[in-house]
């Protein structure tokens, strides 16, 4: 016996596909805590920095950075930003986003160092249905990244174009209408 739950009338097993939240499921003022955190390594920092052709010695040169105000290499802030946004995907936008529209008010009030763990929280600060794209809405998200001590290391406001559940149901790849259930996890 496989242990899989049979579908209706003993048919195919149910499939539950992980997804983000639809426009109408996102609640303004709610804090979404994204876990697990991400411990950032020296390898992460060096690889990201060199892949993006950023030759800043603050990310690559330990001896030089030791003589600078922070006394050590800093995690590339673009890695911090990308990881912060990435941590929100599975909970908020996986399969339910149409497009990222922009990032504003990005700041890095405290450095992230090798060995620090980044935790991200997102607050939905605004949402409205699109006036020109039926079945879609614009959501504003305020991301806050903190290290393991709770110190804020990054802030960013992000706007996204999101599907409503009804409009997305008929779209290819939506997971709906093909026997799969799509449920937030």
């Amino acid at each position: 016996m496989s242990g899989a739950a049979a579908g209706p009338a003993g048919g195919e097993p149910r499939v539950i596909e992980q997804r983000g939240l639809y426009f109408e499921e996102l609640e303004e003022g709610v804090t979404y805590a994204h876990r697990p955190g991400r411990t950032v390594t020296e390898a992460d920092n060096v690889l990201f920095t060199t892949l993006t052709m950023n030759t800043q010695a603050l990310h690559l040169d330990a001896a030089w950075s030791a003589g600078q105000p922070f006394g050590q290499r800093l995690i590339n802030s673009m890695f911090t930003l990308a990881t912060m946004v990435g941590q929100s995907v599975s909970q908020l936008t996986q399969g339910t986003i149409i497009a990222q529209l922009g990032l504003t008010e990005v700041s890095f009030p405290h450095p992230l160092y090798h060995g620090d763990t980044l935790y991200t929280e997102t607050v939905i600060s605004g949402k409205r249905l699109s006036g020109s794209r039926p079945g879609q809405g614009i959501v504003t998200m305020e991301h806050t990244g903190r290290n393991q001590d709770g110190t804020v290391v990054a802030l960013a406001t992000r706007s996204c174009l999101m599907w409503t559940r009804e409009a997305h149901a008929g779209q290819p790849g939506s997971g709906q209408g093909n026997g799969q259930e799509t449920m937030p996890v």
Side-chain angles (χ1 to χ4, degrees):
M1 179 168 231
S2 70
E12 291 294 315
R14 290 181 346 147
V15 174
I16 298 175
E17 181 178 293
Q18 181 175 334
R19 66 160 172 85
L21 301 175
Y22 285 108
F23 174 83
E24 57 270 39
E25 295 174 311
L26 293 163
E27 297 181 44
E28 286 185 69
V30 170
T31 299
Y32 297 88
H34 313 300
R35 300 296 183 266
R38 174 67 157 80
T39 301
V40 182
T41 67
E42 177 180 12
D44 295 326
N45 191 41
V46 171
L47 179 61
F48 183 88
T49 298
T50 55
L51 281 173
T52 58
M53 300 180 67
N54 180 340
T55 59
Q56 178 51 253
L58 278 171
H59 307 310
L60 298 172
D61 188 330
W64 183 83
S65 295
Q68 298 307 304
F70 291 106
Q72 62 182 302
R73 286 172 292 167
L74 309 179
I75 298 297
N76 185 315
S77 59
M78 295 296 98
F79 179 87
T80 303
L81 176 63
T83 304
M84 185 171 65
V85 170
Q87 286 178 310
S88 74
V89 168
S90 64
Q91 189 174 17
L92 298 179
T93 63
Q94 180 65 47
T96 57
I97 189 173
I98 298 160
Q100 177 167 281
L101 301 175
L103 289 162
T104 61
E105 301 174 40
V106 176
S107 64
F108 304 98
H110 189 276
L112 198 61
Y113 302 110
H114 299 154
D116 281 351
T117 301
L118 179 64
Y119 294 97
T120 300
E121 296 175 349
T122 302
V123 173
I124 305 302
S125 59
K127 62 184 237 181
R128 68 174 178 81
L129 288 170
S130 171
S132 61
R133 300 179 68 102
Q136 301 174 12
I138 298 169
V139 177
T140 303
M141 304 176 183
E142 294 180 2
H143 299 294
T144 301
R146 300 176 194 276
N147 69 12
Q148 65 282 353
D149 300 320
T151 303
V152 175
V153 297
L155 298 161
T157 300
R158 177 177 173 222
S159 60
C160 299
L161 187 62
M162 304 288 295
W163 284 110
T164 63
R165 180 192 301 268
E166 184 178 347
H168 194 224
Q171 297 295 313
S174 70
Q176 298 181 345
N178 60 6
Q180 293 182 10
E181 295 179 48
T182 58
M183 303 180 72
V185 289

